[in-house]
Amino acid sequence: MLPTNIRPFVPRGRPSIRSLPQNRSQLFRTDASKRKAPPLAFVFDIDGVLIRGPHVLPEAKKALKMLEGDNPFRTTIPYILLTNGGGVGEEERSKSLSHKLGVHIDTSQYLQAHTILKKHAQRFADEPILVLGGKRDVVRRVAESYGYKRVYTTLDVLAWNPSVWPFHQITEAEKASTKTADFEKTPISAVFVFHDPRNWALDVQTVCDLVQSGGIVGGPWVPLEKQTKPVELIFCNPDLLWRSDFPTPRIGQGAFKEAFQAVYKALTGNRYPHVQYGKPTEATYNFAKETLGAIFRERYGASSTPEHLYMVGDNPESDIAGANGARWNSVLVKTGVYDPEQGPPAHAPTRIANDVLEAVEWAIEREFSKNPKHH
Ligand code: G3P
Ligand code: MG
């Protein structure tokens, strides 16, 4: 059970939102339609900020309710969710999060680690690609929903030839998720690591086979510098650690990347060149800003963009480093990876808060008190 003795944030001389009589909050919802762009917008991390494993963090619902208009400034404040998680479709996940968090999270305000891969779908539409991560063939279907047409999994490879990795007996359920292909005649152009791989050994073996042969599983190994069309390798989440409901942080997709690179280096003496997406990368923060920009234009008119962006995260290495790099405001909460007992965070946030509610209250007060014209 997470700590509940968090001291509520009460700005000087102003009644705390929690003490407002209900009917006044009704009032807020009706004024929201005035369509005046608020001075700020939020970008929320998910794991360690809003949820931990299957559990919704206590203050998460209250914080999002505030952005729906339940605040002293009677305005709705746009926000998006930006997670390094994934492994399922955006629609499915935003629906289940809406249910959990008690507010409507539209797919347009929900970005997961691999959502940005929609941008590459055209280039690879007709190219055979390999996708890693997630349960069985779920990420294949996600990739197909983005527009990739020839999508394979490592279970497809194992079903094609079990001796690719003799130490895993494919299960009936796994076999049922596979697609038939002859990988001797199917040159893979790129490997996309969508989500945390479930079978690291099979996946490391298969990716090594592909990058050492230039795309043919079981093909002869060709030194990279002699390959005409090296396989492109794209990772979507660099997190070494993340916070679930287990007492200590868990290793993430970033650890899988290091495992692969360690084996590849042992085999070739080098690290394999790759593209990295996910927080803290610039590409992912630009994508998030684009997404919020579209929401602002839709809600408040063509030229409108968010004035002040606030990233609320639990991981200094991803959430805070990325926000600082993008010159956003950043709030580090203590409900996830970051543990104040371990000393100051590796990347200094604009502010440290006990939880997401305290972060939201602080940022709203800060921007509205700076911008009296907004209320
Ligand atoms: O696998 C997800 C994890 O790496 C972190 O997710 O929501 O904290 O960015 P999140
Ligand atoms: Mg997190």
Side-chain angles (χ1 to χ4, degrees):
M1 205 44 214
L2 288 167
T4 55
N5 59 344
I6 298 180
R7 177 185 56 71
F9 173 87
V10 178
R12 281 177 308 290
R14 188 188 299 286
S16 132
I17 182 71
R18 296 179 206 166
S19 62
L20 280 169
Q22 195 45 52
N23 57 10
R24 273 191 70 193
S25 61
Q26 288 322 100
L27 184 65
F28 304 149
R29 266 183 270 292
T30 48
D31 288 350
S33 62
K34 279 229 172 70
R35 302 273 169 253
K36 195 164 70 176
L40 78 165
F42 287 90
V43 180
F44 292 108
D45 172 48
I46 297 182
D47 293 302
V49 172
L50 300 176
I51 66 170
R52 281 239 317 253
H55 309 298
V56 173
L57 288 167
E59 306 301 355
K61 290 184 177 177
K62 293 181 200 136
L64 297 181
K65 280 248 170 340
M66 276 193 80
L67 305 183
E68 303 282 339
D70 241 348
N71 57 62
F73 307 102
R74 309 178 196 198
T75 182
T76 58
I77 297 167
Y79 63 92
I80 62 171
L81 305 188
L82 178 65
T83 176
N84 271 350
V88 293
E90 283 76 12
E91 195 158 338
E92 181 186 333
R93 186 84 197 285
S94 52
K95 254 204 205 106
S96 78
L97 282 168
S98 301
H99 179 69
K100 275 191 173 173
L101 295 166
V103 290
H104 173 66
I105 308 281
D106 195 84
T107 312
S108 64
Q109 59 186 139
Y110 175 66
L111 298 181
Q112 44 192 10
H114 44 74
T115 310
I116 197 167
L117 297 183
K118 288 181 180 177
K119 291 179 180 254
H120 291 290
Q122 202 163 7
R123 183 157 79 88
F124 288 98
D126 302 309
E127 300 277 331
I129 63 164
L130 187 79
V131 293
L132 267 57
K135 218 171 169 185
R136 295 200 277 275
D137 69 337
V138 176
V139 290
R140 181 206 320 272
R141 282 180 265 128
V142 175
E144 287 167 346
S145 76
Y146 292 174
Y148 298 87
K149 298 187 192 124
R150 303 180 65 192
V151 186
Y152 298 99
T153 68
T154 51
L155 287 174
D156 295 345
V157 175
L158 190 61
W160 163 70
N161 185 342
S163 61
V164 164
W165 184 248
F167 303 115
H168 177 72
Q169 189 60 43
I170 193 164
T171 66
E172 279 316 304
E174 289 172 337
K175 186 107 174 74
S177 79
T178 59
K179 200 161 84 169
T180 307
D182 178 351
F183 289 96
E184 240 168 58
K185 301 193 181 72
T186 310
I188 299 290
S189 297
V191 175
F192 292 91
V193 187
F194 270 60
H195 193 29
D196 302 42
R198 295 328 193 240
N199 188 330
W200 282 31
L202 168 63
D203 292 7
V204 167
Q205 174 68 73
T206 309
V207 178
C208 282
D209 285 332
L210 287 171
V211 296
Q212 288 187 277
S213 66
I216 297 289
V217 179
W221 290 357
V222 182
L224 185 56
E225 60 281 5
K226 294 212 175 81
Q227 292 184 14
T228 48
K229 188 173 175 265
V231 172
E232 297 189 41
L233 179 57
I234 298 100
F235 291 90
C236 293
N237 168 10
D239 286 352
L240 205 54
L241 295 173
W242 68 290
R243 198 65 196 269
S244 72
D245 54 339
F246 193 77
T248 52
R250 304 292 77 196
I251 56 174
Q253 192 187 126
F256 171 79
K257 178 171 93 175
E258 291 313 314
F260 160 73
Q261 290 290 10
V263 172
Y264 183 77
K265 187 160 175 144
L267 292 168
T268 66
N270 304 309
R271 283 175 71 89
Y272 192 77
H274 63 278
V275 172
Q276 180 69 69
Y277 289 120
K279 300 171 290 184
T281 66
E282 191 181 347
T284 288
Y285 277 79
N286 288 344
F287 188 42
K289 191 162 185 186
E290 270 170 43
T291 305
L292 258 174
I295 291 173
F296 264 69
R297 281 189 295 285
E298 192 231 328
R299 276 200 205 172
Y300 310 108
S303 59
S304 157
T305 55
E307 242 174 297
H308 303 285
L309 283 180
Y310 282 79
M311 176 79 208
V312 182
D314 71 306
N315 189 332
E317 300 295 341
S318 59
D319 306 309
I320 306 306
N324 294 354
R327 301 191 182 295
W328 299 1
N329 301 287
S330 57
V331 186
L332 178 61
V333 296
K334 302 175 185 173
T335 48
V337 169
Y338 170 61
D339 175 2
E341 311 286 314
Q342 313 278 336
H347 300 274
T350 318
R351 171 126 181 150
I352 294 181
N354 283 309
D355 57 52
V356 63
L357 180 59
E358 206 178 290
V360 164
E361 288 178 335
W362 171 76
I364 292 178
E365 175 57 26
R366 182 180 192 229
E367 291 304 335
F368 277 88
S369 58
K370 255 197 285 176
N371 301 273
K373 73 174 183 350
H374 275 287
H375 63 86

